[in-house]
């Protein structure tokens, strides 16, 4: 297992000219679709080639003839990963794997070729990625350059034994995707390059087109090699309606003060359904103690106090504040990051979900005595049972049973509404979806509970 350091990422940015903050800025990464700072796809390609050269102990310059790479899942900075060889026959194939999940696949063929090509020795200074690429362009040019001295620092074997044309084209590809097409909000998805018939041009010639219905760009490489790159635009993060807009939308709730008798503890109030629930309860006159894990809530919400709270390991201070507040109602929206898994049941992931959805709530009930608890699940997962979300679906179904035990054992009113997929940052997708607004789901749930 290995990791990639921040310093190496910064070196690679100067080498490639790709200064996209998703690779370099931890805070930008946290607030992105991925939820973390990710390693360049092309960095991973060079890493796999470096691994190949080391294990093959090649002492001659090789030129890759055909190369395919697929970036299936993000590799996050500081994540441990392993490199796995899949095949060594017609195509050499490798995978990068982390926590039993395939992140990257690469396959290539090569031949010996001592006829190196000279390119300008150049490193890049930081510049900003574009925000909004045009939908279609004419043939464009990207200068092929690289700084051998910098390249050697992080990929010493590639600098000695990989053909320079392979190097400069791969570096240019990440610069194009990360800074130009699509630019700031890009996702490098895959590439397919054919170097079998090339010329010695010092620029990379390409054009591109945008998919008619999804935010996907196909970049066609015309020269000095042939090939294609597929890149997506990262979905923008969802921002819930603020308190002022909700008060205009739900004037009857503000007028009737439907929730004025509630002292509501809301676990997981910084985003998504929990954030919307906090504001609507406040709109209806509830007194609220709302928790966040890492991202503090910036908005001013009437009758609402905020505390930092770790669902799995609550501090003594946060426990004492909740005890003092003495909630009559608990709204429980704690959840870890949800991601698609492979077809094998993963014990660690299942236990993590159970810790959040059951044991996290159970320990709160050790020091509170509410009359009502609400914790939602998702009908699309508990009922449809998607094969790539087994752990999440099992844990949510178990949570519903646990809530029924609470009702039977502690005589607490419990509510486990099964929501359809809501428009939150957990459900963002590259594919257009018909998602429900969080405020409409929460309003329906809360009004149903008080009838």
């Amino acid at each position: 297992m290995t990791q990639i350091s921040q310093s190496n990422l910064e070196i690679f940015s100067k080498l490639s000219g790709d200064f996209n903050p998703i690779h370099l800025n931890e805070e930008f990464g946290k607030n992105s679709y991925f939820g973390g700072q990710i390693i360049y796809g092309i960095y991973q390609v060079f890493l796999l080639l470096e691994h190949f050269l080391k294990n093959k102990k090649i002492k001659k310059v090789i030129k890759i003839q055909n190369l395919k790479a697929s970036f299936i899942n993000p590799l996050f900075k500081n994540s441990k990963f392993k490199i796995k060889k899949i095949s060594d026959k017609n195509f050499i194939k490798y995978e990068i794997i982390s926590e039993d999940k395939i992140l990257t696949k690469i396959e290539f063929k090569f031949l010996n070729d001592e006829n190196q090509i000279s390119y300008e020795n150049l490193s890049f200074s930081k510049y900003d990625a574009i925000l909004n690429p045009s939908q279609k362009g004419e043939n464009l040019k990207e200068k092929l350059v690289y700084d051998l001295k910098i390249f050697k620092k992080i990929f010493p074997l590639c600098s000695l034994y990989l053909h320079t044309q392979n190097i400069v084209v791969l570096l240019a590809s990440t610069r194009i995707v990360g800074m130009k097409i699509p630019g700031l909000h890009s996702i490098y998805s895959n590439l397919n390059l054919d170097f079998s018939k090339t010329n010695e041009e010092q620029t990379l010639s390409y054009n591109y087109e945008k998919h008619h219905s999804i935010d996907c760009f196909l970049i066609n490489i015309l020269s000095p090699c042939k090939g294609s790159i597929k890149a997506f635009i990262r979905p923008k993060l969802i921002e819930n309606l603020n308190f002022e807009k909700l008060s205009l939308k739900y004037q009857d709730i503000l007028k009737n003060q439907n929730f004025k008798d509630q002292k509501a503890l809301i676990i997981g109030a910084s985003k998504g359904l929990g954030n919307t629930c906090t504001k609507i309860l406040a709109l209806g006159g509830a007194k609220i103690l709302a928790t966040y894990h890492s991202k503090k809530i910036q908005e001013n919400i009437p009758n609402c106090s905020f505390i930092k709270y770790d669902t799995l390991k609550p501090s003594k201070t946060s426990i004492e504040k909740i005890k003092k507040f003495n909630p009559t109602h608990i709204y429980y929206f704690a959840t870890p990051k949800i991601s698609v898994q492979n077809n094998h049941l993963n014990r660690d992931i299942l236990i993590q979900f159970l810790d959040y959805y059951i044991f996290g709530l159970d320990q709160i009930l050790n020091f509170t005595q509410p009359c009502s608890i609400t914790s939602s699940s998702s009908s699309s997962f508990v009922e449809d049972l998607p094969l790539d979300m087994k752990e999440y679906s099992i844990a949510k179904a178990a949570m519903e049973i646990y809530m029924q035990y609470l009702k039977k054992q502690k005589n607490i009113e419990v509510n486990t509404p099964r929501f359809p997929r809501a428009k939150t940052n957990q459900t963002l997708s590259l594919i257009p979806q018909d998602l429900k607004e969080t405020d409409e789901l929460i309003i329906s749930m809360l009004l149903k509970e008080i009838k």
Side-chain angles (χ1 to χ4, degrees):
M1 300 289 277
T2 187
Q3 293 173 288
I4 297 168
S5 69
Q6 177 71 23
S7 62
N8 275 10
L9 292 175
E10 291 174 0
I11 291 170
F12 189 78
S13 69
K14 296 174 184 176
L15 174 70
S16 65
D18 184 353
F19 295 95
N20 197 302
I22 193 67
H23 305 299
L24 301 170
N25 187 298
E26 187 172 348
E27 193 61 29
F28 184 92
K30 282 181 181 178
N31 294 317
S32 76
Y33 166 70
F34 292 111
Q37 185 181 342
I38 64 173
I39 307 302
Y40 295 90
I42 297 302
Y43 189 112
Q44 297 175 56
V45 171
F46 282 122
L47 193 70
L48 290 169
L49 292 171
E50 190 80 4
H51 182 83
F52 163 74
L53 291 168
K54 179 180 179 180
N55 286 277
K56 279 290 186 181
K57 298 180 181 179
I58 289 174
K59 301 301 180 183
K60 292 182 179 180
V61 174
I62 65 167
K63 183 175 184 180
I64 293 172
Q65 284 187 295
N66 302 95
L67 184 145
K68 296 179 182 179
S70 297
F71 310 110
I72 302 164
N73 291 294
L75 171 59
F76 293 102
K77 192 187 82 171
N78 297 327
S79 293
K80 293 182 178 180
F81 62 91
K82 59 184 178 181
I83 296 172
K84 181 180 179 181
K85 181 189 281 187
I86 304 301
S87 173
D88 197 11
K89 295 181 180 179
N90 294 333
F91 272 87
I92 297 160
K93 298 181 181 181
Y94 283 97
E95 291 177 350
I96 291 179
I97 298 172
S98 179
E99 297 179 347
D100 295 325
K101 185 190 295 185
I102 298 173
L103 308 184
T104 301
K105 291 183 177 183
I106 178 176
E107 59 180 71
F108 60 94
K109 289 197 302 188
F110 72 94
L111 50 75
N112 294 330
D113 190 344
E114 299 284 353
N115 298 315
Q116 290 281 39
I117 302 172
S118 296
Y119 294 94
E120 184 178 346
N121 194 55
L122 177 69
S123 58
F124 291 86
S125 298
K126 186 173 181 179
Y127 62 96
D128 292 327
I130 62 168
L131 285 168
N132 298 300
S134 57
Q135 291 194 8
K136 197 171 183 179
E138 302 297 328
N139 290 356
L140 302 170
K141 300 282 187 180
E142 185 68 30
K143 195 169 184 179
L144 295 172
V145 297
Y146 87 119
D147 188 316
L148 176 60
K149 187 176 180 180
I150 293 179
F151 188 71
K152 193 173 183 178
K153 286 182 180 179
I154 46 179
F155 306 114
L157 295 177
C158 287
S159 70
L160 290 172
Y161 303 117
L162 185 59
H163 199 280
T164 52
Q165 190 174 72
N166 296 147
I167 295 170
V168 293
V169 168
L170 287 170
L171 292 174
S173 77
T174 192
R175 186 162 65 252
I176 291 168
V177 171
M179 305 301 287
K180 298 177 180 180
I181 313 297
L184 181 63
H185 301 292
S186 59
I187 300 174
Y188 201 140
S189 177
N190 60 57
L191 79 158
N192 186 346
L193 298 176
D194 182 357
F195 290 92
S196 60
K197 295 179 181 179
T198 61
N199 55 52
E200 296 190 8
E201 287 187 16
Q202 299 290 302
T203 57
L204 185 148
S205 178
Y206 69 99
N207 59 37
Y208 65 93
E209 56 186 327
K210 186 177 182 294
H211 193 277
H212 66 279
S213 61
I214 61 176
D215 286 334
C216 176
F217 286 79
L218 182 65
I219 302 168
N220 301 301
I221 307 299
L222 308 174
S223 178
C225 62
K226 303 292 183 183
S228 63
I229 298 169
K230 186 181 287 185
F232 289 88
I233 296 178
R234 295 194 303 273
K236 293 182 179 178
L237 293 184
I238 303 295
E239 291 188 9
N240 292 334
L241 291 178
N242 61 30
F243 182 82
E244 183 179 353
K245 289 181 179 178
L246 286 170
S247 65
L248 293 173
K249 187 173 180 179
Y250 299 106
Q251 294 184 36
D252 286 348
I253 301 293
L254 182 62
K255 178 182 176 182
N256 297 331
Q257 294 289 281
N258 303 69
F259 315 116
K260 65 179 185 298
D261 295 327
Q262 292 192 22
K263 292 180 67 179
L265 170 65
I266 304 176
I267 303 296
S270 62
K271 52 191 175 183
L273 292 164
N275 180 261
T276 299
C277 186
T278 302
K279 286 180 273 196
I280 292 178
L281 285 170
L283 188 65
K287 186 177 181 181
I288 299 166
L289 181 63
T291 76
Y292 63 92
H293 180 252
S294 58
K295 189 175 181 181
K296 192 171 183 179
I297 302 165
Q298 301 298 324
E299 189 177 354
N300 291 321
I301 302 174
N303 301 318
C304 183
S305 300
F306 303 102
I307 63 169
K308 184 178 175 66
Y309 185 80
D310 187 331
T311 303
L312 303 186
K313 295 180 180 179
S315 67
K316 289 182 179 179
T317 302
S318 63
I319 289 173
E320 289 304 316
K321 287 182 179 179
I322 292 173
K323 281 183 179 180
K324 185 177 180 180
F325 181 70
N326 191 25
T328 60
H329 292 66
I330 294 176
Y331 296 89
Y332 192 78
F333 295 99
T335 188
K337 175 71 174 174
I338 301 169
S339 61
V340 172
Q341 302 300 320
N342 57 36
N343 289 330
H344 301 292
L345 189 65
N346 187 303
R347 182 177 184 274
D348 292 339
I349 293 173
L350 176 59
I351 289 173
Q352 182 187 45
F353 280 132
L354 293 172
D355 280 341
Y356 270 91
Y357 299 146
I358 296 178
F359 294 104
L361 175 57
D362 191 67
Q363 64 181 335
I364 291 174
L365 297 179
N366 289 330
F367 53 84
T368 61
Q369 292 181 318
C371 62
S372 173
I373 302 172
T374 299
S375 186
S376 68
S377 61
S378 174
S379 58
S380 62
F381 292 101
V382 178
E383 294 170 7
D384 299 341
L385 301 177
L387 291 176
D388 56 357
M389 298 292 286
K390 291 189 297 298
E391 297 86 358
Y392 176 78
S393 302
I394 292 169
K396 279 294 189 178
M399 179 209 74
E400 292 183 357
I401 296 172
Y402 164 72
M403 293 281 280
Q404 292 305 312
Y405 272 108
L406 291 180
K407 181 178 181 179
K408 185 176 181 180
Q409 182 180 3
K410 295 179 179 286
N411 197 29
I412 297 173
E413 179 185 345
V414 299
N415 303 287
T416 54
R418 287 188 178 180
F419 288 148
R421 286 171 68 85
K423 190 181 291 184
T424 71
N425 290 324
Q426 290 273 35
T427 58
L428 283 176
S429 172
L430 301 174
I431 308 300
Q433 303 177 90
D434 182 20
L435 302 176
K436 301 294 184 181
E437 297 292 342
T438 57
D439 59 289
E440 294 170 4
L441 294 174
I442 292 294
I443 278 286
S444 175
M445 175 193 78
L446 292 175
L447 293 180
K448 185 177 179 180
E449 288 178 7
I450 62 174
K451 284 183 180 180

